Amino acid sequence: KACKKVSELGSSANKWAICVSHIHKPCTILSFGVGFDYSFDIEANKRFACEIFLFDPTPSVVERMSTIDDIQMHFYPWGLAEKTSRVEIKNNWWNQREVATVQMYSFEDILENLKIPFAPIIKLDIEGYEFGVIESILDNRHGVRQILLELHYGGLTNDDFRQVNGERGGERWLEIFNLLDQRGFEIFWKLGGRYDTKSAVCKKDPSSKKCYHACLKDTNCKGALQEYGFIKTKTHTSQK
């Protein structure tokens, strides 16, 4: 078993898990994609005294989070992307309907800007941008030991913010799984997935494994997402 003790944290709408047996002090979490529910981050801070760095460029979220006042919780109105740039976003999730120009940073630039030497726990809920940033996060120099990851498939719009390649959705999931395995990570937790397809098995049980596989093959599948927890259990010296 990859993790001896797993704790699920957060509300039912924002549930994630931490491998408690692999929390090392000082505990630092970089949480990308806040939305209007950061209950996971609050609970991780209270239960394990983790210092939390929260990131979300969505204007309505930025407005709400500007009032945060906690010496161990820090909010930044930035998005995470493969390259540092300013981009226009729209429909990045349910509450952002108008076009807005926001600041995106690469993972390396965020660590440098905030003077963070190591990032042991990363949470990624970034609406398709995970595909472009995962490799840089896995660089051994960053000290990442746990990755909480929401993977997206389909649900494609023309907006730059949602860089999900619907035609290669299933392949890209497998590419991430293979990359994580090569870098010494194993799955220690998975939350029931959510899928949107006309397949009969999905109408019966949209969170089932059969629905998941149907969605990866079905061109009628309009979208899917799944939350995972990965933990580093092996060291690969060939990596940077």
Side-chain angles (χ1 to χ4, degrees):
K1 189 176 181 180
C3 179
K4 294 180 180 179
K5 184 178 181 181
V6 178
S7 284
E8 289 190 341
L9 310 174
S11 68
S12 59
N14 188 41
K15 190 176 295 296
W16 296 90
I18 285 180
C19 179
V20 179
S21 52
H22 283 71
I23 292 179
H24 304 288
K25 300 297 182 179
C27 173
T28 302
I29 298 177
L30 273 64
S31 183
F32 295 97
V34 177
F36 283 158
D37 185 347
Y38 60 110
S39 53
F40 160 78
D41 309 284
I42 293 172
E43 195 169 350
N45 169 253
K46 289 182 177 179
R47 290 184 58 181
F48 306 115
C50 298
E51 185 173 15
I52 314 291
F53 294 85
L54 301 146
F55 304 88
D56 198 312
T58 311
S60 54
V61 176
V62 173
E63 182 179 359
R64 180 177 185 270
M65 295 296 292
S66 62
T67 60
I68 190 170
D69 183 20
D70 191 304
I71 60 172
Q72 281 197 303
M73 299 189 72
H74 321 281
F75 175 75
Y76 297 90
W78 308 337
L80 179 64
E82 187 173 1
K83 297 179 181 179
T84 295
S85 64
R86 290 185 66 79
V87 302
E88 287 189 348
I89 64 170
K90 182 181 179 182
N91 291 334
N92 62 311
W93 72 300
W94 62 270
N95 78 322
Q96 180 62 37
R97 302 306 183 199
E98 301 300 322
V99 175
T101 301
V102 301
Q103 180 65 55
M104 311 295 283
Y105 283 103
S106 68
F107 189 66
E108 290 82 0
D109 284 349
I110 284 177
L111 295 184
E112 183 177 348
N113 290 343
L114 300 181
K115 309 300 180 187
I116 299 174
F118 298 106
I121 303 177
I122 304 293
K123 190 211 81 179
L124 296 176
D125 185 0
I126 53 177
E127 309 306 315
Y129 272 101
E130 64 270 13
F131 297 110
V133 303
I134 191 69
E135 187 154 11
S136 62
I137 286 173
L138 293 175
D139 189 315
N140 275 344
R141 293 174 297 179
H142 305 321
V144 176
R145 293 294 177 266
Q146 296 189 47
I147 299 176
L148 312 180
L149 173 64
E150 183 175 88
L151 283 174
H152 297 80
Y153 166 66
L156 192 63
T157 72
N158 292 323
D159 303 315
D160 289 339
F161 193 85
R162 303 199 62 187
Q163 295 179 343
V164 184
N165 186 333
E167 295 179 357
R168 293 187 56 241
E171 293 178 20
R172 300 192 79 176
W173 283 38
L174 293 176
E175 287 172 1
I176 282 188
F177 291 148
N178 289 334
L179 179 62
L180 285 160
D181 179 65
Q182 292 167 9
R183 302 296 169 83
F185 284 82
E186 295 182 44
I187 294 176
F188 73 86
W189 172 82
K190 183 175 72 170
L191 191 65
R194 287 162 277 171
Y195 311 102
D196 177 13
T197 178
K198 296 179 180 179
S199 170
V201 295
C202 288
K203 291 180 179 179
K204 182 178 181 181
D205 185 359
S207 65
S208 68
K209 289 184 179 179
K210 289 183 179 180
C211 175
Y212 160 69
H213 289 295
C215 196
L216 295 186
K217 298 176 182 178
D218 188 354
T219 56
N220 289 321
C221 184
K222 297 180 180 179
L225 57 86
Q226 177 88 55
E227 289 87 358
Y228 293 93
F230 294 87
I231 187 168
K232 191 173 181 67
T233 59
K234 296 171 287 185
T235 301
H236 286 234
T237 56
S238 61
Q239 173 62 11
K240 293 179 182 178

